Amino acid sequence: MNELKNAIKNKNVILFIGAGISMNLNIPSWNDLIDHMSEELGYDKEVFNSYGNYLSLAEFYEIKKKNIDSLKSWMNRELHKTSINIKDSKIHKLIVDIDAPLIYTTNYDRWIEHAYEYYGKKYRKISNVGDLVNLRNDETQIIKFHGDLDDDNNSIVLTESSYFERLNFETPLDIKFRADSLGKNILFIGYSLSDVNIRFLFYKLSKLWEDSNINNRPKSYIFLRKPNPIQEAVLKKRGINAIISKKENITEGLEELLEELIYK
């Protein structure tokens, strides 16, 4: 914890933010997204869900609809309802207060960006290679690792094909992440260990460090809801240290952790 506190104080930490943070705002989940697809395609929700995983169902939707434009429009509306007020999210305020130079997120919504705007902090959103030009040291970089709904270049990672392409780990944003991660501590929040994508990312990070032959590797951390000794041992082997919530309510536990890292 002291090493992580010092990394935050010295602006040497990367925040990597997942969907669990957005759920704090009561926005639609993956299940809601799949249910919406089933309705648009005229399927019974339970039957549709039984036909595949989220990625393959999204791929089928794209095949039937020829594109995912209407789905992106629905996501934009539902993820950014006017009834949501970012000031009500303590976690988003704490994320801003960490003042990390780099934030990577796999979330499609814009609530991290809205939090920076609300609290008057400078940031630069990065969703494609064109956004990497003229970066400034006084701006937090918010890297949309799974794409951005505002990006016209179809950067959204939603279907099985786009997910498989993502696993190549060779896009400009991947190359940037590899460079950024070599000298900084990383704190993963809002993720479940059942997320295969994040587990693959841990594996790639581990291989990156092994191949670099650098001995003094900065530690990475993931915040978890509850202990899991088996998964923690696997993570430890890959250089990821688990921080377990001290509260049964994971939102309250994360708030407590971030307050400790920032203010104590």
Side-chain angles (χ1 to χ4, degrees):
M1 288 295 290
N2 285 334
E3 182 175 345
L4 186 51
K5 286 181 183 179
N6 288 332
I8 290 172
K9 181 180 179 181
N10 296 325
K11 297 187 180 302
N12 200 45
V13 68
I14 296 172
L15 276 184
F16 214 111
I17 299 175
I21 302 304
S22 296
M23 293 301 99
N24 172 55
L25 298 168
N26 295 317
I27 64 176
S29 64
W30 262 100
N31 284 328
D32 297 322
L33 180 64
I34 296 302
D35 286 347
H36 175 74
M37 291 182 197
S38 68
E39 290 175 2
E40 275 206 46
L41 295 174
Y43 280 84
D44 175 84
K45 293 179 182 178
E46 291 187 9
V47 172
F48 189 69
N49 268 281
S50 71
Y51 283 158
N53 60 28
Y54 293 160
L55 297 170
S56 60
L57 294 175
E59 183 96 8
F60 177 73
Y61 177 95
E62 184 179 48
I63 291 169
K64 300 299 287 185
K65 293 284 189 177
K66 310 303 182 187
N67 56 58
I68 60 169
D69 290 349
S70 63
L71 188 60
K72 286 170 63 178
S73 296
W74 180 87
M75 291 167 67
N76 237 332
R77 291 194 305 272
E78 295 299 313
L79 294 178
H80 305 106
K81 290 181 178 178
T82 56
S83 59
I84 300 173
N85 196 329
I86 195 61
K87 73 176 184 179
D88 296 329
S89 174
K90 186 176 180 180
I91 285 179
H92 281 81
K93 173 65 166 62
L94 291 166
I95 287 171
V96 173
D97 284 351
I98 286 177
D99 199 24
L102 297 163
I103 294 177
Y104 281 77
T105 178
T106 51
N107 295 350
Y108 307 118
D109 64 78
R110 296 185 291 273
W111 290 111
I112 300 172
E113 297 96 291
H114 288 333
Y116 269 76
E117 291 165 4
Y118 181 81
Y119 293 108
K121 292 290 188 73
K122 294 180 180 179
Y123 75 92
R124 173 76 64 91
K125 181 175 70 172
I126 298 171
S127 58
N128 58 60
V129 67
D131 297 326
L132 297 173
V133 179
N134 299 323
L135 297 177
R136 294 171 46 175
N137 291 331
D138 64 341
E139 298 174 325
T140 291
Q141 297 175 27
I142 301 177
I143 300 97
K144 310 287 280 193
F145 211 54
H146 275 185
D148 179 32
L149 290 170
D150 291 332
D151 187 8
D152 293 330
N153 296 317
N154 293 320
S155 62
I156 290 291
V157 178
L158 187 66
T159 64
E160 188 171 79
S161 293
S162 61
Y163 178 79
F164 288 163
E165 289 173 10
R166 198 74 192 79
L167 292 183
N168 286 331
F169 218 66
E170 293 296 339
T171 70
L173 293 190
D174 292 317
I175 295 168
K176 173 177 169 53
F177 178 63
R178 292 206 298 268
D180 289 340
S181 64
L182 280 174
K184 289 181 170 58
N185 299 90
I186 308 174
L187 174 59
F188 294 88
I189 57 176
Y191 287 101
S192 165
L193 291 182
S194 62
D195 185 339
V196 176
N197 180 67
I198 201 67
R199 296 179 68 85
F200 181 77
L201 179 60
F202 293 161
Y203 171 76
K204 295 295 285 188
L205 268 176
S206 176
K207 291 296 293 179
L208 173 64
W209 276 97
E210 287 178 12
D211 296 343
S212 68
N213 293 317
I214 299 175
N215 295 322
N216 191 22
R217 172 182 179 175
K219 290 188 175 72
S220 295
Y221 306 84
I222 183 170
F223 179 74
L224 299 177
R225 178 191 297 271
K226 58 185 179 181
N228 185 325
I230 294 175
Q231 298 294 353
E232 288 174 46
V234 173
L235 290 172
K236 189 75 173 179
K237 178 184 176 183
R238 293 176 180 163
I240 313 292
N241 300 272
I243 302 174
I244 309 302
S245 175
K246 296 177 182 178
K247 303 277 189 179
E248 188 169 339
N249 182 300
I250 193 169
T251 298
E252 293 177 0
L254 180 55
E255 290 172 355
E256 181 179 77
L257 170 68
L258 296 181
E259 286 177 337
E260 181 180 350
L261 290 172
I262 300 168
Y263 307 129
K264 296 181 180 179

